[in-house]
Amino acid sequence: MTPHSSSQNPTLLEVALPVPLRRCFDYLLPPGQDASALQPGVLVRVPFGNRELVGVLIKIKTESTQDLGKMRSALAIIDTRPALDSELLELCLWAADYYQCAPGEALQAALPVLLRQGEPAHLAGEPVFKLTTEGKGLPEGALKRSPKQAALLAALQTHQQLTRTDLDLLGIARSTAKNLIDKGLVRIDEIAPNQASQPHNLLREKPLNLSDEQVAAFAQIDYSSFTAYLLDGATGSGKTEIYLQAIEQTLRQGKQALVLVPEIGLTPQTLERFQRRFNLPIVALHSGLNDRERLEAWLRARDGIARIIIGTRSALFTPLKEPGILIIDEEHDASFKQQDGFRYSARDLAAVRAHRLGIPLILGSATPSLETLHNAQQGRYRHLHLKARAGNAKPPEIQLLDIRGEILHEGFAQASIDAIGDALGKGNQVLVFLNRRGYAPTLECHDCGWLANCNHCDARMTVHQNPRHLHCHHCDHQRGIPKRCPSCNSSKIHPIGQGTERSEVVLQQLFPAHKVIRVDRDSTRNKNGMQKLLVDVHSGEPCILVGTQMLAKGHHFADVTLVVIIDADAGLFSTDFRGAERMGQLLLQVAGRAGREQKRGRVIMQSNHTDHPLVQTLVKQGYHALADLILQERHITQLPPYRHLALIRAESQYAQAAMDFLTQARQLAEQLQAPHPALQYLGPLPAMMEKRGDRFRYQLQINSAQRKPLQQLLSQLAIQLEAVSQAKRVRWSIDVDPQEMG
Ligand code: ADP
Ligand code: ZN
Ligand code: ZN
């Protein structure tokens, strides 16, 4: 009895595709493909509408909710070796689910571009020349008429295989090899790239002797299972030294280390520090790599050739052959959260990944995020403290300078100017911090009060002098600086307030004998721009650095003894509930640049609100007191980390369309979840900047005392919203654990 072919269930492939739909797609097995050779994680080329896409195989199955009659065949299996191992595949799917993102889009974040374009996922090995069977069978004395070819043949008979370098050493030209290949006597093979053999000496330099405090922290780390550690230590307290020694332990066990740093923290300085210490291959994953280099680094990590992987946010998804430890430096940094598309937090996912892998996670910061502090206080993370600065460095002395009623010289109080002159006079360097690029934040008419607004946003245009123009930092719109007021025709229009360009000009006038170096997004746009600018600083010459938060992170300026913060209050009155936390973190990170070595540092904070309790607490009692104060507030006002938050955002050229969509979203949510005591809704409300780039922006906030009901609601709601007709008229997104409330 032969089975009826149509009654036999066909083999189906469930594939995640890079499209913004929260589901997978089913395909028939490509003709002639053996299903038993396939595993989840394999890349598959499939037809989608009239396009071809590369997707990730999630499951092999025999049943589908899709109509079998209309189902199309996958076109090809790109490589039967899975591009993603089950660990990464499951992590991505977990994350897609948690962050309410389409599975294909989350998986895309984990895959290097070239793999997504269908390149095979293996490292190109080194080519070697070998004899073919015919070549081996050649009698001695053959090829007499070509001595060079005969020489190569003889060499191959002795050595079996030769690399290009071997040919060079033997003085045999490549063309000779090619001639023999053409004759069918020699072929090219590839040998796998060298597996990292444990070198005799893993270290290139001797580790520092840890201080008692460092030892106490270091000794707590358990390498054999999952624990999250908060390494809470002032800037310069020796956290990096602990990372290095924890990595050393990991390497000794034959395992790999993955280190994530903020976007701006992956400086050559950081890398050098790792390279100076270790004698094993390190790869750095940063935005400066081209697609080929990125793929290469990714494969080296996957194949276990790279032993230390250092990268920014997306490096969290690097495959690891022998994972041993995860480290997140400056864990409070906002760049660990992706702000568009797949809105994941690399810091939070690192905890998920380390937990699944059963390996330790170290979260390091001088100014831990309140979420992480809360986790430590609740006992979920182990809290390790480093209070003193390492070596002989002393903590900087912070001075709050009341500038109310002071006559300022283009933003600078006289006391600040004197202190700068004093430091330069002693041959030291000065850092001036102002978190606003451009010349001035706005242009104003003295006669009628007209302000240069952006036509496309609810925002002012920033004045830039070099080149001269008005620039909206929110939508990038640019226009010329008018000579007369567009409203009253007065010629008295002036830039108001301070930006880094203006401070640079003023400081150069005040201190003509010294170099003033401006560091912001404009001055570092070119490749290696930052490095070029900082050459002078690292030479140790007395000079003034003036810049934005780009200066606050990761840099080690040995000769900076004075930090002047022009506007310490910026952020104090932010409408984002994280404003105060961010202000505290930024101010202390900037302050931490002072006096990192032998010279004692001093910090001057100019403030108009010296008696504000948050400012007072920060300066008198430090970051942790500030954090406690803010946590108490968050507890009372029921905000994270005491409640879980999600934002549904919508924007459109038509304000009403965005509002209608969110109103419908709220109705749907309330229907889905019969009034649940844990869930609360707020909105729809206008975003902080209601209009931006000609779009009107609104948001619906959903918060919950427990994570689970929120997750369940969002999963169902997301699918329903995709089907809502309004959804096509607006741009909408779901942000779980949002970091920016705007
Ligand atoms: P952090 O990462 O906390 O900012 P680092 O590890 O960069 O601190 O240390 C700050 C400085 O102190 C560096 O120059 C480092 O070499 C030095 N340092 C760290 N630990 C020690 C130690 N145990 N003994 C001497 N110097 C140390
Ligand atoms: Zn005017
Ligand atoms: Zn604008």
Side-chain angles (χ1 to χ4, degrees), residues 454-461 472-477 692-693:
C454 176
N455 300 334
H456 309 279
C457 305
D458 294 329
R460 311 238 189 281
M461 305 283 287
C472 173
H473 289 176
H474 304 282
C475 72
D476 223 23
H477 173 64
R692 186 161 101 191

Side-chain angles (χ1 to χ4, degrees), residues 16-249:
L17 293 176
V19 294
L21 295 171
R22 291 165 180 82
R23 48 170 289 217
C24 291
F25 299 84
D26 293 344
Y27 289 89
L28 299 167
L29 200 63
Q33 176 69 47
D34 174 12
S36 67
L38 295 183
Q39 288 172 50
V42 151
L43 297 184
V44 190
R45 192 185 298 282
V46 298
F48 188 79
N50 51 13
R51 292 183 292 163
E52 279 185 16
L53 295 175
V54 172
V56 179
L57 176 63
I58 301 298
K59 214 193 261 169
I60 300 166
K61 57 186 190 179
T62 50
E63 271 164 23
S64 173
T65 52
Q66 287 167 244
D67 181 357
L68 277 180
K70 287 189 192 149
M71 195 175 293
R72 299 164 81 178
S73 262
L75 301 169
I77 304 298
I78 288 171
D79 189 343
T80 49
R81 172 168 179 184
L84 289 172
D85 60 20
S86 59
E87 186 254 322
L88 262 190
L89 183 63
E90 279 162 27
L91 179 73
C92 291
L93 294 178
W94 187 94
D97 198 46
Y98 181 84
Y99 291 105
Q100 307 301 333
C101 163
E105 290 196 315
L107 286 161
Q108 189 155 350
L111 287 168
V113 174
L114 290 181
L115 287 189
R116 285 187 241 147
Q117 292 171 353
E119 287 230 3
H122 65 81
L123 277 172
E126 191 179 11
V128 287
F129 300 93
K130 287 183 174 171
L131 291 175
T132 60
T133 326
E134 212 183 316
K136 283 180 193 156
L138 224 55
E140 225 176 290
L143 298 174
K144 241 193 212 128
R145 283 197 296 170
S146 168
K148 284 182 190 161
Q149 293 181 14
L152 176 54
L153 205 66
L156 282 173
Q157 271 154 356
T158 332
H159 298 288
Q160 269 81 48
Q161 61 178 37
L162 296 171
T163 64
R164 286 192 185 137
T165 326
D166 295 335
L167 293 191
D168 294 345
L169 289 173
L170 292 168
I172 298 170
R174 306 259 162 91
S175 57
T176 311
K178 181 160 185 311
N179 289 337
L180 288 184
I181 293 170
D182 292 344
K183 287 184 181 164
L185 301 174
V186 166
R187 66 189 170 88
I188 293 186
D189 224 350
E190 271 182 13
I191 46 167
N194 280 336
Q195 290 290 320
S197 52
Q198 188 96 306
H200 189 58
N201 193 355
L202 183 136
L203 297 180
R204 203 165 271 172
E205 66 170 12
K206 215 164 82 64
L208 299 172
N209 284 326
L210 296 181
S211 66
D212 291 349
E213 218 178 26
Q214 281 173 316
V215 168
F218 179 68
Q220 298 220 25
I221 303 167
D222 171 5
Y223 300 88
S224 65
S225 63
F226 169 72
T227 302
Y229 301 90
L230 164 57
L231 181 56
D232 186 340
T235 38
S237 62
K239 295 184 293 298
T240 309
E241 184 59 35
I242 291 189
Y243 304 153
L244 292 171
Q245 300 204 14
I247 291 171
E248 182 189 335
Q249 293 303 316

Side-chain angles (χ1 to χ4, degrees), residues 98-99 348 371 374-375 378 380 577-578 634 637-647 676 678-682 700-714 735-739 741:
Y98 181 84
Y99 291 105
D348 296 348
E371 279 83 356
H374 182 65
N375 277 325
Q378 299 286 303
R380 277 190 290 269
F577 72 84
R578 285 198 175 81
R634 299 262 187 100
T637 48
Q638 288 292 288
L639 285 165
Y642 300 96
R643 279 184 90 86
H644 306 286
L645 219 62
L647 279 186
H676 191 291
L679 290 167
Q680 284 175 358
Y681 300 88
L682 185 65
L700 170 64
Q701 194 194 101
I702 309 179
N703 68 64
S704 173
Q706 293 123 30
R707 199 176 279 290
K708 196 126 185 226
L710 180 61
Q711 282 302 313
Q712 282 168 346
L713 170 71
L714 291 175
D735 194 348
V736 178
D737 304 332
Q739 287 295 309
M741 301 303 288

Side-chain angles (χ1 to χ4, degrees), residues 715-733:
S715 298
Q716 295 171 31
L717 184 61
I719 302 288
Q720 295 216 357
L721 285 176
E722 279 180 2
V724 164
S725 63
Q726 290 279 6
K728 293 181 184 62
R729 298 181 54 208
V730 301
R731 226 187 256 166
W732 66 278
S733 62

